[in-house]
């Protein structure tokens, strides 16, 4: 019976591919064209792809060698309870900020069918997002964690539009359009209002944030290793799944460079994929893509409604957040954590009433946070490999941390500001949780808190003075 319920390499590979494709891919074209020309974008994909493969390998390796509390448990292995809190709290921020991005992408897709939901400062768009947010939170609080029919619909909604898009782009592809400005050196009056010509290095760096959003949720693949027929199957499937994802992402992001000019791609509103299709094949293309986006986003939003709630619950059980977040209702759902997250998302969605590019802002904060979480995974991989003299695995850990450090060094002021505003209140909760469980803060923990507060005050004060 156990053998029948386990998963082989093929099953694991298809599940990994299906679960990793979210909304990021539907908005990839416009944001990437704003960041880079095709040449730098191709180099960036190679860097991000290598980092993604190393991350999956690290998660599989550590998952077999160490027991951990979610992906943020690896920070606890390296830096103790404070490390688990920092990584877990930031992972939670990334999770619900990703939901905000889902809300904006969903409203943009529905806006094609209902023009009333288009535009900045649209009350109906914000109100509709809040209603869906609370409905999904209530749905998850009833104990609905997984449903096979939802997953099946989501898979079709994701894969069919992507295949259609790749085929249309391949048929319409013209090499002359691709190579017209391959390295992004053109800077004339026709395009200077949308983006400016920059160095190849800066274009690659600007692409990282866009590309990592496409891999958002990648860490979930490591959770499947316990269901594999053999431990080696999960490792092989993860690598194969990553290669498939990289190929799909590269085709979807690079083929349009040979169909429309970079200026045309950069000027497409979100969801960019649907508007690219509209320019190439007409109305039927955008209808097909937007229909898939609506179903796909709803299913992804449902899954990511549960994840932030369970993150707080795990952190509470590990005594790094107050016990109130660890309480479950009669359905086994972390109801208090879900309500807390929904309230914060509601306030943030209301604030987006005044923000012009709300989707990009939300996913940028989400990916900025996830860089830090992935960095902790790489550090634990390096630490474990060094202690056990597994020097080949040590290189894998280095492959994880290099893209993360690169991205962190490229943080803009408003990204750091957004993260600190959301991160600092958690420190008070951590201090209360340690007191609640009868443990005093260590000297090094007090130092981290003081330094974090001072850095936060400095960053926040810069916004007003």
């Amino acid at each position: 019976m156990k053998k029948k319920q386990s998963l082989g390499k093929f099953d694991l590979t298809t599940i990994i591919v299906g679960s990793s494709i979210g909304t990021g891919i539907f908005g990839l074209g416009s944001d990437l064209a704003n960041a880079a020309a095709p040449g730098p974008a191709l180099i960036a994909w190679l860097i991000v792809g290598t980092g993604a493969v190393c991350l999956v390998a690290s998660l599989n390796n550590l998952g077999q060698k160490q027991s951990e509390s979610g992906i943020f448990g690896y920070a606890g292995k390296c830096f103790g309870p404070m490390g688990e809190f920092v990584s877990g709290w930031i992972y939670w921020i990334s999770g619900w900020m990703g939901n905000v991005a889902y809300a904006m992408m969903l409203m943009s897709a529905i806006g094609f069918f209902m023009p009333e939901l288009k535009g900045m400062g649209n009350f109906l768009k914000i109100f509709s997002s809040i209603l869906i947010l609370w409905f999904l939170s209530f749905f998850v609080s009833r104990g609905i964690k997984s449903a096979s029919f939802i997953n099946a619909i989501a898979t079709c909604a994701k894969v069919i539009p992507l295949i259609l898009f790749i085929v249309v782009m391949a048929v319409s592809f013209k090499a002359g359009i691709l190579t017209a400005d391959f390295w992004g050196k053109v800077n004339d009056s026709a395009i200077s209002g949308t983006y400016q010509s920059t160095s190849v290095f800066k274009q690659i760096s600007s692409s990282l944030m866009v590309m990592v959003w496409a891999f958002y949720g990648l860490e979930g693949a490591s959770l499947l290793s316990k269901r594999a027929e053999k431990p080696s199957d999960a490792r092989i499937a993860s690598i194969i799944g990553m290669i498939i994802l990289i190929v799909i992402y590269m085709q979807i992001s690079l083929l349009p460079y040979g169909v429309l000019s970079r200026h045309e791609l950069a000027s497409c509103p979100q969801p960019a994929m649907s508007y690219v299709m509209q320019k190439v094949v007409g109305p039927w293309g955008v209808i097909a893509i937007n229909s898939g986006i609506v179903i796909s986003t709803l299913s992804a939003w449902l899954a990511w409604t549960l994840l932030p709630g369970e993150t707080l619950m795990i952190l509470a059980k590990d005594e790094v957040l107050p016990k109130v977040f660890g309480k479950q209702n009669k359905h086994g759902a972390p109801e208090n954590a879900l309500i807390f997250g929904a309230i914060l998302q509601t306030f943030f969605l209301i604030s987006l009433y005044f923000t012009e590019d709300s989707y990009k802002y939300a996913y940028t904060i989400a990916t900025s946070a996830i860089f830090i979480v992935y960095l902790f995974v790489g550090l634990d991989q390096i630490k474990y490999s060094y202690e056990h003299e597994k020097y080949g695995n040590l290189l894998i850990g280095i492959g994880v941390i290099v893209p993360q450090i690169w991205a962190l060094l490229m943080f803009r002021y408003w990204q750091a500001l957004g993260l600190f505003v959301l991160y600092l209140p958690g420190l008070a909760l951590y201090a209360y949780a340690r007191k609640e469980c009868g443990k005093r803060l260590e000297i090094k923990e007090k130092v981290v808190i003081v330094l974090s507060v001072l850095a936060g005050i400095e960053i926040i004060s810069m916004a007003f003075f």
Side-chain angles (χ1 to χ4, degrees), residues 32 47 63 230 235 243 279 289 295 396 441 459:
L32 188 58
I47 296 172
K230 297 182 295 183
R235 294 194 296 272
I243 293 173
K279 289 186 177 183
I289 298 296
I295 300 173
I396 294 175
L441 292 177
I459 293 174

Side-chain angles (χ1 to χ4, degrees), residues 137-378:
S137 298
F138 173 79
F139 192 61
V140 171
S141 72
R142 300 300 93 187
I144 305 298
K145 296 185 178 181
S146 62
S148 58
F149 72 93
I150 292 179
N151 290 331
I153 293 173
T155 300
C156 293
K158 293 174 183 178
V159 173
I160 293 176
L162 298 183
I163 293 175
L164 175 64
F165 184 80
I166 290 174
V167 171
V168 171
M169 293 300 105
V171 171
S172 307
F173 184 85
K174 295 180 181 179
I177 299 177
L178 176 72
T179 58
D181 184 25
F182 194 72
W183 296 107
K185 298 299 182 181
V186 175
N187 185 23
D188 56 35
S189 59
I191 63 175
S192 59
T194 305
Y195 56 86
Q196 295 180 346
S197 178
T198 57
S199 68
V200 171
F201 178 80
K202 287 185 178 180
Q203 291 181 68
I204 294 172
S205 301
S206 299
S207 302
L208 293 180
M209 196 69 67
V210 178
M211 292 177 175
V212 170
W213 173 239
F215 286 101
Y216 189 70
L218 171 65
E219 67 281 352
S222 65
L223 300 177
L224 297 171
S225 60
K226 296 180 181 179
R227 300 182 59 189
E229 292 179 357
K230 297 182 295 183
S232 60
D233 286 349
R235 294 194 296 272
I236 295 172
S238 295
I239 299 300
I240 294 174
M242 269 296 88
I243 293 173
I244 293 173
L245 286 171
I246 292 168
V247 171
I248 291 175
Y249 288 157
M250 289 181 68
Q251 288 188 77
I252 285 178
S253 62
L254 295 177
L255 283 176
Y257 280 110
V259 179
L260 300 175
S261 69
R262 184 183 169 193
H263 171 59
E264 290 177 303
L265 289 174
S267 61
C268 285
Q270 296 295 356
M273 184 182 290
S274 62
Y275 287 94
V276 171
M277 282 286 284
Q278 185 179 37
K279 289 186 177 183
V280 177
V281 299
W284 71 265
V286 71
I287 292 174
I289 298 296
N290 278 325
S291 298
I293 292 174
V294 170
I295 300 173
S296 179
T297 304
L298 280 172
S299 65
W301 195 353
L302 174 62
W304 278 92
T305 297
L306 173 64
L307 188 55
E310 293 210 332
T311 296
L312 291 187
M313 182 181 69
I314 293 172
L315 292 174
K317 289 183 177 180
D318 288 350
E319 300 181 337
V320 296
L321 278 182
K323 295 178 182 179
V324 65
F325 293 119
K327 292 183 179 180
Q328 297 173 284
N329 61 18
K330 62 181 181 180
H331 302 287
E335 189 169 66
N336 291 339
L338 287 169
I339 293 174
F340 179 62
I343 291 173
L344 287 179
Q345 290 173 69
T346 299
F347 281 114
F348 204 90
L349 283 169
I350 292 173
S351 73
L352 294 182
Y353 181 86
F354 308 99
T355 304
E356 185 173 358
D357 198 353
S358 51
Y359 170 73
K360 187 174 182 179
Y361 178 78
Y363 88 65
T364 302
I365 296 296
T367 49
S368 299
I370 208 69
F371 282 134
I372 299 173
V373 180
Y374 291 166
L375 178 62
F376 279 123
V377 174

